[in-house]
Amino acid sequence: MTAGQHSAPAAGVRTRWRRWRRARPFTAGLLIALGGAEMLVTLRAPLGVLLHVGPQGLAAYLVPAVLVICGVLLVTTPQQRVFYAVLSLVLGLVSWLTSNLGGFLIGMLLALVGGALAFAWTPVKRRAAHAGPAATPAETTTPAEATPAGPAPAGTAPGPREPVDGSAPTESLDAILPAEPGPPRHTRAERG
């Protein structure tokens, strides 16, 4: 086997990984999960900075655990990114009070930056395989084939108008706006 045959499957795996990672707020979820994990590690540190007893001790473990879960769920279900982003931002701020000053500020900052990135992330729009929608018969007619007087029949939009000075063609306002029932526009203007 040659070197080119071995690199082809690796390139395919890399391409699929990149496509999967870009289809979700991966960096945001990773930062949130790392922030929660860092807070959990600082709770178990033998520093003895803060002593948690009772309900506050439960919150000290609960807030970072929920942050780690939010980070994982953000990567696995990006459709709910706004909820997870807001929840991680709130929990990141709450961790200042409950989890050793937010994991000595590092975990809190990771959770806040990850939450902001998750909130700002938008899904990538897939590009169409072709340049645009198929042309309708009304769009393929030339101005010479169009009726010279009177409105277009109902249900068909007129084609683009010819430019006056030979520059790019301009579209008619009638082609952009939907057809309205009733008399033509020029008769409505005359009535008042």
Side-chain angles (χ1 to χ4, degrees), residues 26-173:
F26 183 78
T27 306
L30 183 66
L31 287 176
I32 292 170
L34 285 176
E38 197 272 338
M39 286 180 213
L40 283 171
V41 168
T42 59
L43 288 174
R44 302 301 303 162
L47 299 174
V49 174
L50 295 176
L51 181 64
H52 299 287
V53 179
Q56 191 174 8
L58 177 65
Y61 288 103
L62 190 62
V63 168
V66 171
L67 277 172
V68 171
I69 292 170
C70 276
V72 171
L73 288 175
L74 191 61
V75 173
T76 57
T77 56
Q79 298 85 5
Q80 305 297 328
R81 70 184 181 280
V82 175
F83 173 73
Y84 297 133
V86 170
L87 185 62
S88 64
L89 287 170
V90 169
L91 289 176
L93 291 173
V94 168
S95 71
W96 177 262
L97 300 173
T98 62
S99 304
N100 286 343
L101 301 174
F104 300 119
L105 198 67
I106 296 169
M108 183 183 78
L109 287 178
L110 285 172
L112 292 177
V113 168
L117 285 175
F119 194 76
W121 183 83
T122 56
V124 176
K125 304 276 191 231
R126 295 204 181 244
R127 293 182 182 165
H130 52 74
T136 61
E139 293 174 348
T140 56
T141 60
T142 61
E145 297 172 354
T147 56
T156 61
R161 294 184 182 169
E162 285 294 318
V164 178
D165 59 354
S167 62
T170 57
E171 287 188 342
S172 165
L173 193 60

